[in-house]
Amino acid sequence: MPKVTEEYRVARRDEIAEAALRAFRRKGFQATSMAEIIAESGLSAGAIYGHYASKDAIIVDVASRVVGNRILDVERLAQTEPLAPPPTLPRVLVAGMLRAIGNPAIMLQLWGEGVTDPAVRTVAHDVIVRLRGALVEYTSLWHQRTHGTPPEEADVLAAEQAPLLISAVQGFVVQSAIVPDFDGEAYLASVEKYLPR
Amino acid sequence: MPKVTEEYRVARRDEIAEAALRAFRRKGFQATSMAEIIAESGLSAGAIYGHYASKDAIIVDVASRVVGNRILDVERLAQTEPLAPPPTLPRVLVAGMLRAIGNPAIMLQLWGEGVTDPAVRTVAHDVIVRLRGALVEYTSLWHQRTHGTPPEEADVLAAEQAPLLISAVQGFVVQSAIVPDFDGEAYLASVEKYLPR
DNA sequence: GTCTATAGTAGGATAGAC
DNA sequence: GTCTATCCTACTATAGAC
């Protein structure tokens, strides 16, 4: 393991991953050919295979980058004071997602490919489980702080409610990707209005 | 157009579509090869191409069959008396979906491929829009009957709430397909407990 | 209508020079 | 590490016999 090369390798991988993401956005993961990733990156086949063992490895790496950082949003919010009500979290998550990947449709592709590709499914699974954990913790804390609910009871409530918050985000993703005239703002307003607090 | 052949053709198409669905369940739409559909159907390439112009035509036909009949569930429920509360609808829709296609994961594949395949997206789009229409109508009716809400006001409420009902179903689909230990029953109970009525 | 056999092609991955 | 050129597999769809 050479010493100068390490940060160079990382930078190159970043470069390739970002080019791949741009390409994936247009045609999805599997439907994008290596030729397109190669063209988008401006590099060559040999260069790319020097950094990734296969196209699947690129997909998995890009997928991790895409979904990896939404959990941080929640954890960061849990540090703020006063705590925002849980139904406002989907808006934060959606906004973070849009900032990170531009088009939520890529999440749909990720889930769809996860059905048959175990490596992709692992990525998708991890992020949902970690997100759920963060949301449960946040929601429990919120019940305790806001309504003085005892911790055990608050945990139960939070465990019931967190999957609904996740669904709110997932529903946003599906509907905005598939229905052209989907009104995201009205949707998020409904979420905040009707989900429990 | 021969007269004996017509119902025969329909039966053959059904047969092929069902075999294709079994194959798609294993590997998704695009990742399933014609060879697998051919093997699963017990027919030959020539026979299949006699009934479908292309693999894409099979995908679109199968997709339509999969999603086509959930709207009927809602319309049927709208005829019952007394009307069940809207938050119980996701349970009905999920149950109908599971009965029809066995594994909800195929819906994820459908959405995922819809991102890049216009024909598939059209199918997915149509079903969401029609389902939303049916849910809005049902929910409006429910508000009028149960709370005596005036029709215009009930329509507004219903338009706000229907997307949340759709999200509840979509969230079920995503979470049950991706998270192995997802507790569907607890999830649906939460939906019924927390969504507005 | 259905079969077998195959044409035609796209795409992932590698070899070898620099 | 990166390039060019290419191998080779796997796939969709068709041709032609029955």
Side-chain angles (χ1 to χ4, degrees), chain A residues 175 187 190-191 194-195, chain B residues 160-169 195-196:
Chain A
Q175 293 176 58
Y187 174 86
S190 290
V191 167
Y194 292 112
L195 285 200
Chain B
E160 286 176 357
Q161 296 171 354
L164 295 185
L165 296 173
I166 294 179
S167 282
V169 176
L195 286 200

Side-chain angles (χ1 to χ4, degrees), chain B residues 8-9 12 44 51:
Chain B
Y8 176 80
R9 281 192 69 85
R12 255 287 133 99
S44 67
H51 293 271

Side-chain angles (χ1 to χ4, degrees), chain A residues 120-182:
Chain A
V120 173
R121 182 166 57 242
T122 300
V123 173
H125 171 261
D126 275 10
V127 77
I128 291 181
V129 168
R130 286 169 56 209
L131 186 57
R132 187 173 60 187
L135 287 173
V136 167
E137 201 168 328
Y138 184 99
T139 305
S140 174
L141 203 61
W142 188 85
H143 280 298
Q144 296 174 46
R145 294 246 186 102
T146 310
H147 298 130
T149 314
E152 310 79 41
E153 195 183 326
D155 283 350
V156 172
L157 283 178
E160 286 176 358
Q161 297 171 353
L164 296 185
L165 296 174
I166 294 179
S167 283
V169 176
Q170 291 168 341
F172 181 97
V173 169
V174 177
Q175 293 176 58
S176 65
I178 303 287
V179 184
D181 67 331
F182 175 69

Side-chain angles (χ1 to χ4, degrees), chain B residues 50-145:
Chain B
H51 293 271
Y52 287 96
S54 67
K55 184 185 165 185
D56 245 35
I58 300 180
I59 291 178
V60 169
D61 188 42
V62 169
S64 311
R65 289 163 187 256
V66 163
V67 294
N69 282 45
R70 282 328 95 208
I71 289 94
L72 294 181
D73 288 344
V74 178
E75 290 173 346
R76 207 173 298 127
L77 265 180
Q79 309 300 323
T80 63
E81 189 70 57
L83 243 39
T88 64
L89 293 181
R91 173 173 252 120
V92 175
L93 292 170
V94 165
M97 196 176 61
L98 290 176
R99 227 182 308 111
I101 60 176
N103 184 353
I106 195 120
M107 287 298 303
L108 270 193
Q109 299 174 315
L110 193 73
W111 294 329
E113 309 219 349
V115 174
T116 50
D117 182 331
V120 173
R121 181 167 57 241
T122 300
V123 173
H125 171 259
D126 275 10
V127 78
I128 291 181
V129 169
R130 284 170 57 212
L131 186 56
R132 186 173 61 186
L135 287 173
V136 167
E137 201 168 327
Y138 183 100
T139 305
S140 174
L141 202 61
W142 187 85
H143 281 297
Q144 296 174 45
R145 293 245 187 102

Side-chain angles (χ1 to χ4, degrees), chain B residues 167-183:
Chain B
S167 282
V169 176
Q170 291 168 341
F172 181 97
V173 169
V174 177
Q175 292 176 58
S176 66
I178 302 286
V179 184
D181 68 331
F182 175 69
D183 185 342

